Amino acid sequence: MGEQSSKNGFLMLTIAGILSKLLSVLYMPFLNSIIGMEGVGTYQQVYEVFTFVYALTGTGIQTAIAKYISELSAQGQEKDALRAFNLARKYLFLIGVTVTLILMILSKPISELIANPNITYGLIALAPSIAITAMLSTYRGYYQGQNRMTSIGISQVVEQFFNVAVSLIFAALLIKYGSAFGAAGGTIGTGAGALVATALLLFSFIKNRLDRQARSRDIAGITVSRKEHLTVLLSYAFPIILSNGMQNLGALIDATLISRRLQFSAGFDRKAATILYAQLGLYKQLYYVPLVIITALVTTVIPAISRNYVLKDRKAVKSNVRLSLRVTMLVIIPCGFGLSVLCNEIYEVLHYQGASLMVTGAFVTIFMAIVQTQSAILQGTNEFYSVVKSLMIGIVLKIVCNYTLVGIKGINIYGAIIGGYVCFVFPMIINQRRINKHLNMKLSLVKMSLKPLISSIFMSMVIFVVRIPVYWIARKMHIRGVIAAFPLVIVIIAGVAAYFYAIVELRGITKLDIDAMSPKLYRIIPKFFKKRIKT
């Protein structure tokens, strides 16, 4: 679990992220079979609350710690970096325990606000996870700042495995008391998985003697006081927490607003409204799958940009920015098209309901990914409040859109899809203008997306053609159950091959782009393609 290059770290986190997300996606059909769609809707609403609280106590702090640790390490202040980590760990645990108690006390008022009293038990069951994930975030922040991505990746997979296993067991044990208790049981694994992941990172920290390594590499001694550490961490954490919190606040408002508008304006009863919300939650579950690649990119980008920015290497910063946005476009655009074109087949394999949401809603993932990368770039260059402002505009527009459209019975839950586009398109435009101005660059998202877009359209056409004979054969062979995934896998492979062929022919990908994901990828590419890839 040693230190890595950003390129290998990106590949490791991508693999770990995909494995974790696949476990999560495959887990939902099993949970659905245990607690039913109404129970899944309750479960999704509980998680919207948890995700918002976790954004305040976990993800924002992790990013702030990673940024600060990477800056200190870049200047040889390893002892200061270790001290900052210890301070963050101590205070974040206290905050986590406090927030856990508050969430337990407020569980009933929150359930009344969301207009679903069934989520009360789930909030109480999930509350201890806040304290545990707060501790986990400090360790991941330190490892991220030190560019030790293998440890983070392994911890993610282990965390998700225990999360899924424990959640399914408790959901099955508690469903006999009703769907509300079954949904609550489905949340217990979150804390269990986080606890095991924290223990794993702590074991790695002790085994590899990271504290001794830090002291031996130090060239500056202790130069920063505890008060200064806390001041800097807070100055970094507050705007990041604010932006992450606002982004997840949008989802929390969805849980409250959508449920109420469906019941009190569109005319659905509580059960029907909860089932529709469950379909929206399953849709989000799927479009988050390709975003794990972008999350991996962002995790490696922030420390790299922060180091170069603090060392005033503007050329390296601009190179990282350009490369990050290019890789984001190359990866996420075909993913959006793939989800849209193959939505019926994917939903059928996973036994999900509501495939029609994905037909038009799949492309939200493209804009969300671009905003995620832009936010990492701006945060890495200390433009924290620019991210906050753009997200605030997006969320306000989303609330207005959702309130207006979801209450119309003929539109209902599809109004939330339109709100998703509004929420990310406007921040994307604002963020790019700010990046260009702040870093004195002239990057055009339209130009960067053109070749991936054309290649994705070609890929979609190939999928349409290949899908007909593959699924005709599958029907003739009466393929059912788990084996039903094989035709889908064949069509996906054909789509990936078509996209890669098109993007290479259009000269839309370079060796540098591939190396940014992992140098190992370039080695396995056939020689025919290598000759046509720009170096």
Side-chain angles (χ1 to χ4, degrees), residues 451 502-510 531-534:
K451 290 180 180 179
I503 200 71
V504 169
E505 286 297 313
L506 290 172
R507 302 292 194 270
I509 191 169
T510 67
K531 292 177 181 178
R532 306 183 71 81
I533 294 174
K534 292 191 293 185

Side-chain angles (χ1 to χ4, degrees), residues 51-68 92 133-134 137-138 141 144 233-245 248 302 379 384:
T51 305
F52 171 67
V53 177
Y54 176 58
L56 301 180
T57 60
T59 51
I61 292 291
Q62 178 180 329
T63 304
I65 293 171
K67 176 175 169 55
Y68 189 41
L92 201 57
T133 53
S137 295
T138 59
Q144 183 183 345
L233 280 171
L234 282 172
S235 69
Y236 287 174
F238 180 72
I240 295 174
I241 288 171
L242 200 59
S243 59
N244 286 353
N248 287 283
I302 287 181
Q379 288 167 354
F384 300 108

Side-chain angles (χ1 to χ4, degrees), residues 395-444:
I395 289 167
V396 169
L397 292 173
K398 177 184 181 179
I399 292 169
V400 173
C401 189
N402 286 0
Y403 183 86
T404 304
L405 298 178
V406 173
I408 301 172
K409 190 163 187 176
I411 299 176
N412 59 77
I413 202 68
Y414 292 91
I417 305 297
I418 299 169
Y421 282 106
V422 171
C423 183
F424 294 107
V425 169
F426 285 94
M428 178 188 72
I429 296 168
I430 295 167
N431 286 345
Q432 196 56 43
R433 287 170 61 90
R434 186 58 198 160
I435 288 170
N436 286 342
K437 184 176 180 180
H438 176 55
L439 297 176
N440 193 25
M441 301 179 74
K442 293 182 179 180
L443 292 176
S444 169

Side-chain angles (χ1 to χ4, degrees), residues 211-471:
D211 52 345
R212 292 188 182 182
Q213 287 187 37
R215 293 187 185 99
S216 66
R217 291 198 307 267
D218 185 83
I219 60 173
I222 295 176
T223 59
V224 184
S225 68
R226 292 163 65 94
K227 184 178 179 181
E228 288 173 317
H229 278 312
L230 290 173
T231 301
V232 174
L233 280 171
L234 282 172
S235 69
Y236 287 174
F238 180 72
I240 295 174
I241 288 171
L242 200 59
S243 59
N244 286 353
M246 281 197 309
Q247 201 164 350
N248 287 283
L249 179 62
L252 182 58
I253 290 171
D254 276 353
T256 306
L257 184 65
I258 291 173
S259 182
R260 285 182 169 275
R261 294 294 287 168
L262 286 172
Q263 291 180 57
F264 305 131
S265 296
F268 294 90
D269 60 32
R270 194 179 77 188
K271 182 176 180 179
T274 305
I275 290 173
L276 281 173
Y277 191 84
Q279 292 179 8
L280 181 65
L282 295 175
Y283 151 76
K284 289 181 179 179
Q285 187 89 14
L286 278 176
Y287 84 54
Y288 277 127
V289 172
L291 285 172
V292 300
I293 304 173
I294 308 306
T295 301
L297 176 67
V298 166
T299 303
T300 56
V301 158
I302 287 181
I305 289 179
S306 296
R307 285 192 203 99
N308 292 322
Y309 191 75
V310 78
L311 295 173
K312 302 189 186 304
D313 188 348
R314 296 305 171 94
K315 185 178 179 180
V317 170
K318 290 181 180 181
S319 176
N320 284 330
V321 168
R322 192 176 291 106
L323 192 59
S324 299
L325 288 170
R326 276 179 56 83
V327 171
T328 297
M329 299 285 192
L330 286 167
V331 170
I332 205 64
I333 292 177
C335 288
F337 275 82
L339 282 173
S340 179
V341 173
L342 291 171
C343 63
N344 288 317
E345 289 78 9
I346 294 170
Y347 271 67
E348 184 180 347
V349 168
L350 296 172
H351 303 288
Y352 280 12
Q353 295 178 25
S356 56
L357 291 174
M358 188 62 75
V359 175
T360 53
F363 304 104
V364 172
T365 194
I366 296 174
F367 300 106
M368 189 175 183
I370 295 170
V371 170
Q372 193 174 346
T373 302
Q374 290 171 330
S375 298
I377 292 167
L378 289 167
Q379 288 167 354
T381 56
N382 295 341
E383 282 289 310
F384 300 108
Y385 289 99
S386 296
V387 178
V388 174
K389 291 174 185 175
S390 67
L391 285 175
M392 188 179 294
I393 292 169
I395 289 167
V396 169
L397 292 173
K398 177 184 181 179
I399 292 169
V400 173
C401 189
N402 286 0
Y403 183 86
T404 304
L405 298 178
V406 173
I408 301 172
K409 190 163 187 176
I411 299 176
N412 59 77
I413 202 68
Y414 292 91
I417 305 297
I418 299 169
Y421 282 106
V422 171
C423 183
F424 294 107
V425 169
F426 285 94
M428 178 188 72
I429 296 168
I430 295 167
N431 286 345
Q432 196 56 43
R433 287 170 61 90
R434 186 58 198 160
I435 288 170
N436 286 342
K437 184 176 180 180
H438 176 55
L439 297 176
N440 193 25
M441 301 179 74
K442 293 182 179 180
L443 292 176
S444 169
L445 293 180
V446 175
K447 288 182 180 178
M448 294 179 83
S449 65
L450 192 58
K451 290 180 180 179
L453 184 62
I454 294 170
S455 301
S456 296
I457 293 170
F458 174 74
M459 175 196 76
S460 300
M461 293 167 62
V462 170
I463 287 174
F464 274 118
V465 172
V466 172
R467 181 170 54 185
I468 296 171
V470 168
Y471 275 88

Side-chain angles (χ1 to χ4, degrees), residues 456-513:
S456 296
I457 293 170
F458 174 74
M459 175 196 76
S460 300
M461 293 167 62
V462 170
I463 287 174
F464 274 118
V465 172
V466 172
R467 181 170 54 185
I468 296 171
V470 168
Y471 275 88
W472 182 82
I473 294 170
R475 283 192 296 272
K476 288 294 182 182
M477 294 176 66
H478 301 289
I479 292 176
R480 295 288 186 275
V482 178
I483 309 174
F486 282 105
L488 177 60
V489 171
I490 291 170
V491 175
I492 290 173
I493 291 172
V496 170
Y499 175 76
F500 188 72
Y501 171 79
I503 200 71
V504 169
E505 286 297 313
L506 290 172
R507 302 292 194 270
I509 191 169
T510 67
K511 184 177 182 297
L512 186 63
D513 297 328

Side-chain angles (χ1 to χ4, degrees), residues 53-61 65 87-104 127-135 137-138 230 233-234 237-238 241:
V53 177
Y54 176 58
L56 301 180
T57 60
T59 51
I61 292 291
I65 293 171
L87 281 170
R89 181 175 57 180
K90 174 184 174 182
Y91 284 103
L92 201 57
F93 177 71
L94 294 174
I95 293 170
V97 170
T98 303
V99 174
T100 291
L101 294 173
I102 293 171
L103 184 58
M104 285 182 169
S129 303
I130 299 296
I132 301 169
T133 53
M135 284 293 291
S137 295
T138 59
L230 290 173
L233 280 171
L234 282 172
F238 180 72
I241 288 171

